[in-house]
Amino acid sequence: MSQQHIHPDCQRAMDAKEEHDAAERAAMIAAGLISSARVIADLDAEYTSYSAQYLVDMAGRKDEPAPDPQPSSITIKDCLEYLVDIATPKPESEPREVDERRSTLTLKDCLEYALKEGIPRAEHWTHVGCVHKPPPFTSLIPRVYMKGEVVEAETAEEASELLMKQPVGAKLHVFSPEFEQVRDEGFYEGPSGSGSRYVGLRDVMITGNGGTSKGDPLLEVKIVYKKEESFLKVSTTRMLTSLPNDRGEESQLEEPTGLLVDFIIPRLLTSSSRAFPK
């Protein structure tokens, strides 16, 4: 697949931020989980990339309809106005409309939307980080549909059981500088002392499991952090008893938590039996 063209407005916006926002991070992991699940369920003959940006644009709209007009309402004028708008670079000083939905969009929102409404292949939608509104002919763009359910797990042990069938989505507690020190195939154990800074939760894809040289269990994860993809091993035995609150002060947790939390998968019906994989 050829690389998608990046509009100057989009390139400028991506260059201006240190990392992808919460919606983009969630959508990229969701799209990857769907790609993997479809191959495993024999719905795709080979790994196929699906559009993360489509989920950024469309998912998580609780109280408003998605910008997806029916074909009968689309006019040539609508299409021409859209093409003229995206063809004209905007001045850097021109403010863009802020979509508050993006700050709360979750991995679960993205998976549920894709199961309900379908998702286009990556080449049929724009790139991650596009700043333009969806086109008026959204409903005419082909989507891939699937049947299934979103399944969540509470513990790393339950996630390991799901992992026997397919990759698992999760959130990782990220601390700096520990994460940067091990982000390239290293072993991540969370904070190491008073110099640690809590960055926050980041969406990840769990791709495998294993053990350390001492026999301690670990999970292998893929993460996009500061716009770079990394693979690392994460301890499943390290527990956190406190995290910084909104004021930056250490706050005790009601109960200890692992470095990985909020495990989730899209479990799809297989193409042959139309039943969930056993």
Side-chain angles (χ1 to χ4, degrees):
M1 184 183 69
S2 60
Q3 186 173 358
Q4 291 174 304
H5 172 73
I6 298 181
H7 192 280
D9 291 348
C10 302
Q11 187 65 61
R12 187 166 63 243
M14 287 190 289
D15 291 343
K17 59 185 181 182
E18 185 178 27
E19 67 172 327
H20 294 288
D21 65 25
E24 292 167 348
R25 295 193 300 265
M28 285 188 287
I29 296 299
L33 289 171
I34 290 168
S35 293
S36 297
R38 285 186 59 83
V39 171
I40 292 167
D42 295 323
L43 297 174
D44 289 334
E46 59 184 7
Y47 187 92
T48 303
S49 296
Y50 291 94
S51 175
Q53 185 61 35
Y54 174 79
L55 298 175
V56 172
D57 291 334
M58 310 296 283
R61 298 178 182 276
K62 308 294 185 183
D63 302 313
E64 58 176 308
D68 188 10
Q70 295 302 306
S72 59
S73 66
I74 301 169
T75 66
I76 294 178
K77 181 181 178 182
D78 292 333
C79 297
L80 289 175
E81 288 178 347
Y82 175 77
L83 294 174
V84 169
D85 180 64
I86 65 172
T88 307
K90 305 297 186 295
E92 292 188 38
S93 58
E94 182 175 320
R96 292 190 174 276
E97 182 180 344
V98 177
D99 187 351
E100 299 295 341
R101 171 188 57 90
R102 293 177 64 130
S103 64
T104 59
L105 186 67
T106 66
L107 177 53
K108 184 178 181 180
D109 291 334
C110 292
L111 293 174
E112 289 180 337
Y113 187 86
L115 289 176
K116 180 181 179 181
E117 303 292 344
I119 183 173
R121 293 183 177 182
E123 63 265 31
H124 294 158
W125 200 262
T126 188
H127 59 84
V128 173
C130 181
V131 298
H132 297 288
K133 293 181 179 180
F137 44 85
T138 293
S139 57
L140 300 178
I141 295 175
R143 300 176 220 172
V144 174
Y145 295 89
M146 64 212 94
K147 293 183 179 180
E149 61 180 352
V150 172
V151 178
E152 298 177 88
E154 295 295 330
T155 66
E157 290 74 19
E158 292 176 1
S160 293
E161 293 182 11
L162 297 177
L163 188 61
M164 295 175 66
K165 305 291 193 302
Q166 66 187 85
V168 176
K171 289 183 181 294
L172 175 67
H173 287 288
V174 174
F175 291 83
S176 180
E178 290 80 5
F179 180 84
E180 288 84 351
Q181 293 169 348
V182 300
R183 67 179 299 174
D184 295 318
E185 301 291 341
F187 181 49
Y188 178 64
E189 297 182 271
S192 59
S194 59
S196 299
R197 179 179 63 85
Y198 184 56
V199 177
L201 286 167
R202 294 293 183 271
D203 292 292
V204 301
M205 181 191 297
I206 304 172
T207 58
N209 55 18
T212 66
S213 58
K214 298 180 180 179
D216 294 326
L218 59 82
L219 290 172
E220 300 168 352
V221 308
K222 179 175 77 171
I223 182 174
V224 178
Y225 181 68
K226 294 187 177 179
K227 296 185 283 191
E228 292 185 11
E229 186 177 275
S230 299
F231 293 85
L232 67 155
K233 299 174 176 65
V234 178
S235 169
T236 60
T237 58
R238 175 66 189 275
M239 303 300 288
L240 303 174
T241 57
S242 63
L243 287 171
N245 56 28
D246 294 339
R247 299 185 299 276
E249 302 167 344
E250 285 293 312
S251 178
Q252 291 295 124
L253 300 174
E254 292 185 3
E255 59 184 39
T257 183
L259 294 172
L260 287 162
V261 296
D262 298 346
F263 306 100
I264 190 170
I265 63 166
R267 179 181 287 164
L268 305 182
L269 293 171
T270 63
S271 60
S272 55
S273 65
R274 307 310 299 166
F276 294 119
K278 299 297 184 182

